[in-house]
Structures are given as C-alpha cells and as structure tokens.
Amino acid sequence: MTVGEMLVATVPMARTLNLEFLETTPARAVVRLPDQADYHNHVGGPHAGAMFTLAESASGAIVIAAFGDQMSRAVPLAVKAEIGYKKLAMGEVTATATLGRPIADVVAELDAGQRPEFPVAIEITRADGAVTGEMTVVWTLRPNG
C-alpha cells in the first residue's frame, strides 16, 4: 500500500475531499484537490478550509514517507500550522510539500530521547502554475510511552 493509499484509507477527510496523492517520497509529496462544486467558496473556487486540508494532507504524506520507519516508537503529530492565501484559486489546486530539516537530524534527536520538531513547507498552485497559497506545518515525533 502506498502512503497515499494508506492516508485515503485511514483519514476520512482525505476521502471526503477526494484528494489525489500524486507523489509521496521522503523528498516531496504532491497532492491534488480536484475541482468540486461541493467544496467551492462564495467566488466559485476551492474553499479556504479545503485548501488548508489539502496542504495539511500533503505535509502528513511527506512525514509518513520520511519517518514511516519510526512509527513503532513515535507518533507524528502536527504542532502548529500557518497559511497565507496569495492569489485567487480556481479549478483544481495542487499542494507540494517539502521537509524543512534533514531526516537524519530529526531521527538523531529521537534517538537521543528528545521530541524533535520540524517544519514542512507547502506551496499550493493552480493548474496554470500560479502560487495561490503557502503553508508551514510544524510537526513533532512524540515518542511512545
């Protein structure tokens, strides 16, 4: 099962929005929100809440891809998020997430008994490539027990 398939199977909101996980690697996650009238805002584009969920889902996908081998000893949790809406989004939108710290550094902190935090940067774009939003989610790996 791919990371995207796992997230769609286990995260009801990802299924609800019909998110499409196009790429999920430790280096990058790309997730698309199809254009769906049920999730439009008052100007006919994707609702801000749907775009937030899209971006947060992309950040979760890269966290699972990067740290999936740590899940037996730690739980990934979002600590905080900040989003900026830059341009009007219309039609389908795509979120691309990248890790803000090297995987080895985060795992080294976990190995040292710490609760590491790390940012994930997400860019939301329209089909024409215009950046409609930028988001940062700070994640942690909370050690089990």
Side-chain angles (χ1 to χ4, degrees):
M1 181 179 283
T2 67
V3 170
E5 290 168 342
M6 183 193 72
L7 288 171
V8 168
T10 60
V11 179
M13 196 63 172
R15 279 193 313 277
T16 297
L17 290 178
N18 301 305
L19 297 181
E20 300 167 359
F21 291 81
L22 306 177
E23 179 182 341
T24 52
T25 70
R28 188 169 99 134
V30 181
V31 183
R32 182 172 47 224
L33 173 66
D35 186 21
Q36 302 166 92
D38 286 346
Y39 305 112
H40 281 178
N41 58 21
H42 62 289
V43 293
H47 189 278
M51 289 193 296
F52 183 99
T53 301
L54 166 70
E56 194 276 340
S57 297
S59 77
I62 199 169
V63 168
I64 297 299
F67 301 107
D69 61 341
Q70 304 300 318
M71 296 303 128
S72 64
R73 66 182 185 142
V75 175
L77 299 169
V79 175
K80 63 182 174 180
E82 184 175 340
I83 192 165
Y85 300 101
K86 306 294 184 185
K87 289 187 178 189
L88 184 62
M90 298 299 282
E92 72 178 30
V93 288
T94 302
T96 301
T98 55
L99 281 176
R101 289 186 60 201
I103 294 169
D105 292 355
V106 174
V107 172
E109 286 183 17
L110 189 62
D111 289 343
Q114 299 172 6
R115 184 175 170 166
E117 289 190 1
F118 52 94
V120 175
I122 309 100
E123 187 174 79
I124 305 168
T125 56
R126 298 187 303 224
D128 67 2
V131 176
T132 64
E134 296 172 336
M135 183 171 175
T136 301
V137 180
V138 175
W139 286 83
T140 189
L141 295 179
R142 185 191 74 200
N144 295 335

